[in-house]
Amino acid sequence: MSIRVCLAGATGWAGSALAQGIAQTNDLSLVAAVSRSHAGQQLGIVLNQPKLDCSVFATAEEALSQPCDVFVEYTKPAVALNNVLQALAQGSHVVIGTSGLDDAAYAIIHEAALKAQRGVLAVGNFALTVVLLQKFATIAARYIPYSEIIDYASDKKIDAPSGTARELAYRLGQVRDSAQTVPTEEIVGDQATRGARMAEQQVHSVRLPGYVISIEAIFGMPDQKLILRHEAGNGAEPYVDGALLAIRKVNTFVGLKRGLEHVLDLD
């Protein structure tokens, strides 16, 4: 029996690529889609993919009238939390690809997932290279106390930092607080130029034309430094395989897990 999927944000940049990816599988079926701009239409017609014969709904609440095993959230931070909670209340596991949710929102989601006895996998970035960067960075943080994160994205990206940067900060914070020779509150001048303190990590966001998504984790020691950098291209295809894996594996645990490596064997 195939896994029934409801995809919120199915006509967006990343969501449409994922929908096309689902259409090529034998074990997943898209039973409902969410897109305000294409509500009332058939997704296959919108995306020119005849294998996608599900309806497009204006809201997650309407789409969840179609029973699904996994709800994929790929919309906007303003509605993501409510969408996820509705999906859990309906008994679906959830994969979150939307960026911009903070730790408080994730705490709420974790409690709701435990209550519903369902799994939620939140992934700031589904690309394998990002998963590896996060893994390598947490290893580096064990040995190097000084680190900072630089988050790069297009000038049109409305959330800062990105979900990728938030996730990386969270992971490094689980290892240790990043050290500061001069604490931010003792800076002479404009303290904001030193970036934001998140999960006791120093995070900077750059938003300029020409960037898609990039991230750097920079570690410093006397007379040496380590730079881990991920660069994304213009297409959404690198994120599809990771998202498909997340859909297939999110039912293997209960509660919230943050990061694709939780369903990968990276040890």
Side-chain angles (χ1 to χ4, degrees):
M1 181 180 294
S2 64
I3 299 172
R4 299 169 298 175
V5 180
C6 175
L7 176 55
T11 61
W13 179 72
S16 59
L18 177 56
Q20 295 282 3
I22 291 173
Q24 304 306 315
T25 67
N26 295 319
D27 61 331
L28 307 178
S29 61
L30 202 53
V31 297
V34 180
S35 171
R36 288 187 180 277
S37 58
H38 296 90
Q41 301 182 54
Q42 188 182 76
L43 185 61
I45 295 175
V46 175
L47 299 183
N48 193 29
Q49 173 50 265
K51 292 183 179 181
L52 298 174
D53 58 358
C54 67
S55 298
V56 181
F57 298 87
T59 66
E61 182 179 9
E62 294 171 335
L64 286 165
S65 64
Q66 308 298 308
C68 68
D69 302 303
V70 178
F71 178 86
V72 180
E73 166 54 40
Y74 243 146
T75 61
K76 296 182 182 300
V79 298
L81 175 58
N82 188 55
N83 287 353
V84 170
L85 295 179
Q86 288 186 66
L88 289 170
Q90 292 292 331
S92 301
H93 300 281
V94 179
V95 172
I96 303 175
T98 302
S99 63
L101 293 173
D102 58 19
D103 290 344
Y106 282 128
I108 293 170
I109 290 169
H110 180 56
E111 290 301 317
L114 291 177
K115 181 178 180 180
Q117 286 294 287
R118 291 294 182 267
V120 178
L121 186 59
V123 182
N125 192 309
F126 289 100
L128 179 59
T129 50
V130 170
V131 177
L132 293 173
L133 182 149
Q134 292 173 341
K135 181 68 173 181
F136 299 153
T138 56
I139 294 172
R142 299 175 195 169
Y143 303 98
I144 308 175
Y146 292 88
S147 65
E148 303 210 3
I149 297 169
I150 305 180
D151 159 46
Y152 304 86
S154 161
D155 58 310
K156 297 179 181 179
K157 187 171 180 61
I158 61 173
D159 58 304
S162 66
T164 306
R166 286 179 182 273
E167 188 62 35
L168 181 57
Y170 170 79
R171 296 193 172 286
L172 295 182
Q174 298 299 298
V175 179
R176 67 161 76 205
D177 297 351
S178 64
Q180 292 181 304
T181 301
V182 180
T184 303
E185 60 271 16
E186 296 180 14
I187 292 293
V188 176
D190 192 338
Q191 295 180 1
T193 61
R194 288 289 293 117
R197 196 74 174 165
M198 303 185 67
E200 295 306 316
Q201 311 299 309
Q202 209 66 25
V203 182
H204 312 260
S205 289
V206 176
R207 296 292 180 266
L208 287 171
Y211 284 102
V212 181
I213 296 173
S214 303
I215 191 164
E216 284 182 344
I218 304 176
F219 297 85
M221 299 176 70
D223 290 326
Q224 58 186 314
K225 57 182 176 286
L226 171 67
I227 301 174
L228 301 174
R229 183 179 177 92
H230 159 78
E231 286 278 1
N234 292 314
E237 288 74 16
Y239 313 111
V240 172
D241 287 343
L244 294 176
L245 177 64
I247 292 169
R248 293 180 174 117
K249 296 292 188 178
V250 69
N251 67 345
T252 60
F253 59 88
V254 171
L256 169 72
K257 291 188 181 296
R258 294 172 63 173
L260 191 62
E261 76 275 11
H262 289 291
V263 294
L264 291 172
D265 183 11
L266 293 179
D267 294 327

